[in-house]
Amino acid sequence: ASLSLQFVELNANFPCCQMEKLDPSLLVQMKRQYGLYFTLHLEEECDPFAFNAAVRSAWLKTVRQALELAAALDMPVVNMHFPHGIYITLPDRKTYLYDQYRSEFRSALQDFRQMCEDILASTQTRICIENTNGWKLHECAAIEYLLESDVFGLTLDIGHSHGIGDSDESFFRTHDRHLLHMHGHDAKGAKNH
C-alpha cells in the first residue's frame, strides 16, 4: 500500500503461501485495512492431469482449496502454468505423453474444467493460464477447450514470451478476448526473470 500498489500476488510456490498457512480472516482484514486485493499463483509444478490417480487427486485437492480461498476473498485471478507433462526423447523428436494418450488426458481435462466451473460458477474469480516456455499443439487445443468455459482466461507473461521468441504470440492474438492478466518482468535473450 505504501508503494501505491493495488494488489499482492500470493505465490503458492513459497512456504508461507501454502493453503493451510493462509488465514482467510487475516487476508480479509488486510484487504480492508490497506485497500488492496489479492491474486493467487498456483504451484508451478501443479498438474491436475497426471496419469497417476493418487497424484492427480492430490493436485485437484490443492486446486480446489486454492479456488475456494480465491472465491472467499473475491480474488479476480488464480494464475496457473499449463503442465507439459512427461515426454519421451526419441532420436528425431520429443513425444509428449499427453499428446499420445489423448483419451486419458482429455478425460482428466474435462474433470478439471468441471471442478473449476462448480467452484467458481457464481464468482468473478477466473483461472488464467500463463504462457511459460512455448505451448505445443496439443496444449493449445486443451487450453482452447478450457477457454470455452467462462471461468478460464489467459495470462500473458511478456518475459516468458520474449525468452521463447514470442512463439505463443499468435495464440494470444487469436484469443485476445480471453486475456485477463499480464506479468511484466525483465528478459535478456533466452533468459527471463
Side-chain angles (χ1 to χ4, degrees):
S2 67
L3 296 172
S4 300
L5 299 176
Q6 294 178 311
F7 73 96
V8 173
E9 179 182 80
L10 302 173
N11 190 320
N13 290 297
F14 292 92
C16 62
C17 292
Q18 299 303 300
M19 292 307 111
E20 65 274 7
K21 292 187 179 180
L22 294 174
D23 179 351
S25 60
L26 177 61
L27 293 172
V28 167
Q29 176 189 340
M30 293 170 66
K31 184 177 166 182
R32 289 185 184 137
Q33 181 179 351
Y34 296 107
L36 299 170
Y37 65 91
F38 297 98
T39 65
L40 180 64
H41 195 305
L42 294 173
E43 290 90 340
E44 290 182 18
E45 69 274 12
C46 177
D47 188 350
F49 318 122
F51 294 138
N52 182 308
V55 172
R56 183 173 60 252
S57 177
W59 279 122
L60 289 172
K61 179 181 177 184
T62 300
V63 173
R64 174 179 293 282
Q65 290 172 332
L67 296 182
E68 288 170 350
L69 175 70
L73 291 172
D74 297 319
M75 291 183 189
V77 170
V78 173
N79 200 59
M80 79 175 280
H81 294 182
F82 196 85
H84 292 300
I86 300 301
Y87 62 85
I88 304 300
T89 303
L90 299 172
D92 61 335
R93 69 188 183 282
K94 290 180 181 175
T95 300
Y96 287 83
L97 296 187
Y98 287 160
D99 190 29
Q100 291 297 306
Y101 295 90
R102 293 179 186 180
S103 63
E104 292 89 342
F105 176 59
R106 182 68 173 200
S107 177
L109 188 70
Q110 290 169 337
D111 291 346
F112 175 70
R113 187 175 103 170
Q114 186 62 57
M115 181 193 79
C116 295
E117 288 173 343
D118 292 346
I119 297 168
L120 299 179
S122 61
T123 73
Q124 296 298 309
T125 301
R126 298 296 171 256
I127 303 170
C128 291
I129 309 299
E130 178 185 347
N131 60 308
T132 53
N133 54 0
W135 290 322
K136 311 299 180 222
L137 289 177
H138 69 279
E139 294 170 326
C140 289
I143 294 167
E144 285 174 333
Y145 171 74
L146 294 177
L147 292 176
E148 291 172 7
S149 170
D150 291 337
V151 304
F152 288 91
L154 294 171
T155 293
L156 172 59
D157 184 308
I158 61 172
H160 291 163
S161 186
H162 177 81
I164 57 167
D166 300 314
S167 65
D168 293 327
E169 188 174 315
S170 63
F171 187 90
F172 280 97
R173 289 187 186 280
T174 302
H175 301 87
D176 61 347
R177 70 184 184 92
H178 296 286
L179 180 59
L180 304 178
H181 192 59
M182 292 183 73
H183 286 176
H185 61 73
D186 59 340
K188 183 176 182 181
K191 292 186 68 168
N192 56 69
H193 295 290

